[in-house]
């Protein structure tokens, strides 16, 4: 418990008061305009499992993220413009798989943006491509050779957002963390302007700061770019960036496991991105960890919601660290010039709405070599620094001199006791008696690893719901016949595409039981961002599964050269999917089958004739127990006792031999 110190310093010199003085004054001039704090859904497929939560849990999670004055109360939602390719933890579908195709109901980002907007009509929306469908690159792994085609493709996404979902996109980016192309940026600006989207700002280049060197010598490029967005800037910027006089954003940051250290990282960078780098927005990759935890960067979201089958979710510390700033500011508020580092470590920022309101956010994150780093982010490396106990006095001047008290909100990480407390409302801090017309606000920051908000706003709230259901593993018996006449989403629940896109498909001309199926629809390698596989694959289930039976009806649509597989114990996804091992049971449209230990299809355990062909349904069944696996075709044994030495466990999966159309139906798993 920390007691407030309301010393009358009148009779003492400052030295006797043992306090560091900071002035908060709006009359000496203001700093930059604040643009908000946000989260990034996608880059890639990071919200995949969120959509499969049952109500009321799904709405509760969305409230924790977006509802004003409730939880993280985010100001910004940035989403991936799906490009049909693997972009870290999965693929997200494009609105144009093919050149003559347009569909604005694929994936879940439209839904997410609408849910965010429903809660906060003022939320800033940003779209950014990671990858593009293959046709955009004309077969090359490069989107800039035909800049007008790429720009038209991106602009069609923005127009579709408005036309089909009434969503106004505020900003659009170029190509995530890849080379920028000045010509492309100008063409994109041109096409946006031509269709009347003059209000949409371009963010560039979503990588390092290098674009500013081109902007300072190219006035047309400089005009085309509204925001310079850097990723993982380590809280600092470069001189040339300041020279552009543009808004500077950390347009992707954090990417850190969301335990208390991650919360500390988030607290430190939210303040210091402005203090050190004059960045006026910070966006977390990712928004919510809603992907299988064994995929790359598991739990690197502001909160965790990776169990739609149980309904369990966890509100992690970054939610409440966000609240310290988001609940007491809005985009359009302005930083004071008087922000900075505290004398004995930590930092403070102060913002005002220009109407006399004041919000101060203070963080005192500790760096200790002996124990561990309390606020280290995954990248970049954190230079050593010291924070010690300190008394601070804020002098309120200018418009703030008349404030009588400030509300106090506190989070304490308490690494020693392991009992953190987040976003507690303390009793208000009374402003000290006037001393020569200066209001003094004194606070003893004796404890380290704390975050404080001192604010004239009385509106904050630590939102809560009854505890969600307890965590539980993926069900051991699972079936999906994909018979959904009017599906709310294009993907089947819990399938996480790692290369290719698997969508609900309706074939009204099918005479039999396969009117409703799941279909792999990507027929050409996309313009990729991460390494994908040469095969398509969608994983599902419990990564711990060892002994199980997987079965599925499959339908090849490529004569002679086509192939499909079902698999168990698949050990890798995300950017490593290319190297996935497991037990893969393939049939091919040339009338053969194969059993391999890898997705690449190189490590063959068994092979032979199968009589399988395209445009006919076949039922594959794969059973694996210990080291032995057996396969059935249409209910009859095709191969048995294939010896599987590793991996020992992994997901179940379905997929195709190449980028080809193929369908799946009556998927079932029975695990021990
Ligand atoms: C949205 O912004 C307007 C104008 O700044 C403000 O009056 C309104 O309260 C905001 N709404 C929410 C839900 O924050
Ligand atoms: C932190 O404090 C320790 C002990 O006083 C000192 O040895 C070290 O150099 C300091 N580190 C920094 C970065 O100031
Ligand atoms: C903070 O102020 C109190 C009261 O004046 C004093 O006892 C204490 O030593 C000060 N702490 C520091 C770290 O300066
Ligand atoms: C639809 O079903 C018919 C009859 O089984 C089949 O011949 C055709 O290939 C199927 N088409 C698609 C696109 O699924
Ligand atoms: C899987 O089956 C093998 C062979 O029967 C057995 O040794 C192993 O314990 C089983 N694993 C699990 C998790 O049940």
């Amino acid at each position: 418990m920390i007691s407030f110190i309301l010393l009358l310093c009148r009779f003492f010199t400052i030295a006797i008061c043992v306090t560091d003085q900071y002035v908060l004054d709006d009359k000496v001039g203001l700093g930059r305009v604040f643009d908000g704090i946000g989260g990034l859904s996608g880059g890639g497929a990071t919200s995949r499992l969120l959509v499969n939560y049952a109500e009321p849990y799904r709405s509760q999670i969305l409230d924790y993220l977006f509802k004003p004055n409730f939880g993280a109360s985010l100001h910004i939602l940035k989403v991936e413009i799906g490009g049909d390719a693997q972009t870290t933890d999965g693929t997200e579908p494009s609105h144009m798989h093919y050149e003559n195709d347009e569909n604005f109901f694929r994936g879940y980002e439209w839904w997410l943006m609408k849910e965010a907007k429903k809660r906060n009509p003022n939320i800033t929306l940003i779209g950014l491509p990671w990858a593009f469908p293959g046709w955009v690159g004309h077969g090359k792994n490069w989107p800039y050779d035909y800049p007008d085609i790429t720009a038209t493709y991106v602009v069609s996404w923005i127009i579709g957002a408005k036309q089909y979902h009434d969503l106004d996109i505020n900003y659009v980016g170029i190509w995530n963390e890849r080379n920028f192309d000045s010509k492309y940026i100008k063409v994109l600006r041109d096409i946006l302007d031509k269709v009347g989207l003059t209000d949409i700002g371009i963010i560039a280049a979503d990588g390092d700061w290098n674009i500013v060197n081109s902007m300072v010598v190219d006035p047309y490029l400089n005009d085309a770019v509204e925001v310079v967005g850097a990723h993982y800037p380590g809280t600092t910027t470069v001189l040339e960036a300041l020279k552009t006089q543009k808004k500077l954003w950390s347009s992707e940051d954090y990417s850190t496991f969301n335990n208390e250290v991650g919360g500390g990282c988030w607290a430190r960078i939210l303040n210091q991105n402005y203090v050190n780098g004059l960045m006026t927005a910070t966006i977390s990759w990712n928004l919510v960890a809603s992907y299988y935890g064994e995929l790359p960067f598991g739990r690197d979201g502001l909160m965790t919601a990776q169990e739609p089958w149980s309904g369990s979710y966890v509100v992690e510390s970054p939610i409440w660290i966000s609240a310290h700033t988001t609940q007491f500011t809005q985009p359009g508020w302005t930083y004071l010039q008087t922000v900075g580092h505290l004398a004995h470590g930590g930092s403070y920022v102060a913002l005002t709405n220009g109407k006399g309101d004041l919000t101060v956010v203070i963080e005192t994150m500790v760096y200790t070599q002996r124990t561990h780093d309390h606020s280290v982010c995954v990248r970049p490396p954190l230079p050593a620094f010291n924070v010690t106990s300190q008394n601070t006095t804020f002098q309120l001047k200018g418009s703030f001199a008349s404030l009588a008290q400030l509300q106090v909100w506190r989070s304490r990480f308490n690494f020693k006791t392991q009992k953190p407390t987040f976003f507690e409302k303390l009793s208000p801090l009374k402003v000290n008696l006037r001393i020569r017309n200066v209001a003094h606000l004194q606070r003893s920051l004796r404890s380290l690893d704390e975050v404080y908000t001192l604010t004239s706003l009385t509106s904050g709230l630590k939102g809560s719901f009854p505890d969600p259901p307890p965590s539980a593993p993926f069900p051991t018996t699972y079936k999906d016949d994909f018979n959904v006449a009017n599906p709310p989403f294009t993907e089947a629940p819990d399938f996480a595409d790692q290369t290719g896109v698997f969508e609900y498909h309706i074939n009204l001309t099918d005479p039999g039981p396969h009117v409703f199926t799941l279909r792999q629809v990507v027929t050409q390698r996309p313009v990729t961002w991460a390494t994908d596989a040469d095969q398509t694959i969608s994983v599902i289930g419990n990564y711990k599964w060892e002994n199980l039976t997987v079965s599925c009806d499959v339908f090849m649509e490529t004569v002679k050269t086509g192939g499909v597989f079902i698999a168990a114990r698949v050990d890798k996804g995300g950017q490593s999917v290319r190297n996935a091992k497991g037990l893969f049971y393939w049939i091919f449209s040339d009338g053969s089958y194969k059993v391999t230990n890898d997705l690449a299809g190189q490590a063959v355990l068994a092979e032979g004739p199968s009589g399988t062909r395209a445009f006919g349904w076949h039922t594959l069944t794969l059973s694996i127990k210990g080291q032995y696996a057996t396969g059935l075709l249409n209910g009859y044994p095709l191969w048995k006792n294939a010896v599987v030495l590793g991996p020992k466990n992994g997901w179940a999966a379905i997929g195709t031999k190449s980028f080809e159309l193929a369908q799946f139906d009556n998927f079932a798993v029975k695990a021990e």
Side-chain angles (χ1 to χ4, degrees):
M1 179 67 192
I2 287 187
S3 54
F4 296 105
I5 299 173
L6 299 170
L7 283 181
L8 285 171
C9 294
R10 183 178 349 216
F11 306 113
F12 302 104
T13 66
I14 282 165
I16 289 168
C17 280
V18 204
T19 173
D20 305 310
Q21 304 271 328
Y22 305 91
V23 179
L24 301 175
D25 186 357
D26 58 349
K27 291 297 182 258
V28 295
L30 294 171
R32 293 191 169 212
V33 172
F34 174 65
D35 297 305
I37 289 171
L40 204 174
S41 170
T46 54
S47 306
R48 175 62 194 90
L49 298 174
L50 175 63
V51 299
N52 300 135
Y53 270 77
E55 295 296 348
Y57 311 115
R58 193 172 66 178
S59 291
Q60 293 173 357
I61 296 162
L62 293 164
D63 283 352
Y64 279 119
L65 294 169
F66 298 115
K67 194 172 166 183
N69 280 312
F70 190 83
S73 306
L74 295 173
H75 303 139
I76 300 172
L77 172 60
K78 174 172 170 178
V79 304
E80 174 173 351
I81 299 177
D84 288 346
Q86 171 60 244
T87 53
T88 301
D89 289 300
T91 71
E92 296 198 35
S94 169
H95 62 290
M96 296 178 78
H97 294 315
Y98 324 110
E99 198 163 357
N100 57 358
D101 163 59
E102 256 195 356
N103 180 324
F104 295 92
F105 295 91
R106 294 187 183 129
Y108 34 84
E109 305 294 4
W110 309 110
W111 165 82
L112 186 64
M113 286 190 279
K114 284 190 284 191
E115 292 295 327
K117 196 105 195 165
K118 215 190 269 176
R119 289 164 173 81
N120 175 6
N122 295 342
I123 198 161
T124 300
L125 297 176
I126 306 173
L128 172 66
W130 266 246
F132 303 86
W135 64 266
V136 171
H138 281 66
K140 274 169 75 179
N141 204 32
W142 191 248
Y144 297 140
D145 282 353
Y146 302 87
D148 48 333
I149 289 179
T150 306
T152 303
Y153 164 78
V154 169
V155 171
S156 74
W157 183 88
I158 297 170
I159 293 171
K162 182 66 184 171
Q163 190 172 341
Y164 295 94
H165 303 285
D166 198 24
L167 291 166
D168 292 294
I169 305 298
N170 303 99
Y171 295 92
V172 67
I174 307 305
W175 188 17
N176 182 65
E177 293 175 6
R178 288 293 175 268
N179 289 343
F180 67 91
D181 180 281
S182 297
K183 183 171 176 210
Y184 171 69
I185 294 173
K186 292 175 209 170
V187 169
L188 177 61
R189 182 69 269 164
D190 245 32
I191 294 184
L192 284 167
D193 291 346
K194 275 201 189 109
V195 298
L197 297 171
T198 49
D199 286 350
I200 296 184
I202 293 180
I203 303 176
D206 282 306
D208 58 23
W209 293 107
N210 275 336
I211 192 171
V212 297
N213 299 314
S214 304
M215 287 166 68
V216 291
V217 297
D218 181 345
Y220 293 104
L221 178 65
N222 195 63
D223 276 355
V225 174
E226 186 165 325
V227 175
V228 180
H231 287 194
Y232 306 95
T235 77
T236 60
T237 186
V238 295
L239 193 61
E240 297 296 303
L242 295 168
K243 277 193 199 157
T244 64
Q245 311 234 344
K246 297 281 179 181
K247 287 177 178 296
L248 309 181
W249 288 5
S250 177
S251 49
E252 187 182 317
D253 214 324
Y254 181 66
S255 189
T256 298
F257 193 74
N258 60 20
N259 61 5
E260 268 70 63
V261 175
C265 154
W266 189 230
R268 186 171 52 78
I269 61 182
L270 285 185
N271 263 22
Q272 298 203 17
N273 274 346
Y274 187 75
V275 169
N276 303 335
L278 291 179
M279 284 168 269
T280 52
T282 298
I283 299 172
S284 167
W285 186 89
N286 49 66
L287 170 74
V288 51
S290 269
Y291 43 101
Y292 288 107
E294 296 83 4
L295 286 168
F297 307 101
R299 271 183 64 185
D300 283 14
L302 297 176
M303 62 182 284
T304 308
Q306 55 189 15
E307 283 189 15
W309 47 87
S310 71
S312 178
Y313 63 83
V314 188
V315 181
E316 314 276 6
S317 61
I319 291 290
W320 302 120
I321 296 306
S322 307
H324 271 282
T325 303
T326 55
Q327 290 200 12
F328 310 106
T329 58
Q330 284 299 321
W333 282 46
T334 309
Y335 283 100
L336 302 189
Q337 281 187 358
T338 45
V339 301
H341 294 272
L342 298 171
H344 301 283
S347 66
Y348 71 103
V349 293
L351 301 99
T352 181
N353 59 358
K355 297 172 191 154
D357 280 311
L358 173 69
T359 290
V360 184
V361 186
I362 301 161
E363 58 82 20
T364 60
M365 292 304 131
V366 174
Y367 177 100
T368 58
Q369 247 140 4
R370 246 181 312 135
T371 53
H372 56 283
D373 306 334
H374 290 182
S375 67
V376 74
C377 304
V378 161
R379 59 185 175 260
L382 182 61
F385 59 87
N386 286 327
V387 180
T388 53
S389 298
Q390 53 197 313
N391 290 331
T392 45
T393 298
F394 290 100
Q395 297 189 0
L396 306 184
K397 290 189 171 174
S399 310
F400 316 125
S402 57
L403 292 170
Q405 62 173 27
L406 294 181
Q407 308 299 316
V408 181
W409 293 81
R410 180 181 66 186
S411 292
R412 320 175 83 173
F413 283 92
N414 285 337
F415 283 96
K416 281 194 187 131
T417 64
Q418 300 297 315
K419 269 200 201 124
T421 56
F422 293 112
F423 206 55
E424 272 183 292
K425 188 170 204 255
L426 308 183
S427 35
L429 191 51
K430 297 250 185 315
V431 175
N432 221 333
L433 292 180
R434 303 291 175 90
I435 306 144
R436 293 183 207 97
N437 290 328
V438 175
H440 280 233
L441 186 71
Q442 187 171 12
R443 186 76 181 87
S444 173
L445 300 174
R446 276 193 225 128
S447 293
L448 310 172
D449 288 319
E450 292 188 330
V451 181
Y452 286 95
T453 303
L454 313 178
T455 180
S456 59
L457 300 187
T458 51
S459 51
L461 177 78
K462 185 171 185 181
S464 68
F465 290 109
D467 285 345
S471 173
F474 195 94
T476 52
T477 303
Y478 189 87
K479 277 192 180 130
D480 197 339
D481 59 13
F482 311 118
N483 287 5
V484 192
N486 202 359
F489 295 101
T490 48
E491 298 99 335
D494 307 330
F495 276 96
D497 303 350
Q498 300 301 316
T499 299
V501 170
F502 295 72
E503 288 179 352
Y504 282 122
H505 176 69
I506 304 180
N507 181 354
L508 292 175
T509 66
D510 188 278
H514 301 294
V515 173
F516 298 98
T517 68
L518 195 67
R519 191 186 202 197
Q520 198 296 115
V521 296
V522 178
T523 54
Q524 182 184 9
R525 165 167 252 115
V527 175
T528 56
W529 183 77
T531 310
D532 61 2
D534 297 327
Q535 303 72 26
T536 75
I537 177 170
S538 190
V539 303
I540 187 167
N542 186 340
Y543 191 80
K544 296 203 176 89
W545 278 345
E546 284 181 36
N547 300 329
L548 65 158
T549 296
V550 185
S551 66
C552 195
D553 298 342
V554 296
F555 184 87
M556 293 174 278
E557 297 183 56
T558 303
V559 179
K560 293 258 173 20
T561 57
V564 294
F565 69 81
I566 63 171
R569 297 190 188 169
V570 176
D571 70 339
K572 287 191 189 70
Q575 328 179 54
S576 314
V577 65
R578 195 178 186 78
N579 302 316
K581 304 251 177 308
L583 199 269
F584 295 80
Y585 172 17
W586 314 72
I587 56 166
F588 303 103
S589 59
D590 68 0
S592 66
Y593 79 92
K594 205 153 84 168
V595 183
T596 68
N597 206 178
D598 56 350
L599 174 63
Q602 303 299 309
V604 179
L605 303 175
E607 60 188 325
S610 61
T612 50
R613 56 177 180 82
F615 297 102
W617 283 95
H618 303 286
T619 302
L620 301 185
T621 307
L622 164 65
S623 295
I624 185 165
K625 190 166 172 66
Q627 292 189 355
Y628 299 100
T630 301
L632 311 183
L633 175 63
N634 302 326
Y636 295 97
L638 184 63
W639 51 273
K640 61 181 177 195
N641 293 337
V643 177
V644 191
L645 297 176
K648 293 271 181 276
N649 57 282
W651 297 291
I654 55 174
T656 64
K657 178 193 161 194
S658 64
F659 290 99
E660 63 185 75
L661 297 173
Q663 293 175 54
F664 302 84
D665 203 356
N666 299 315
F667 175 84
V669 176
K670 179 114 186 56
E672 279 177 19

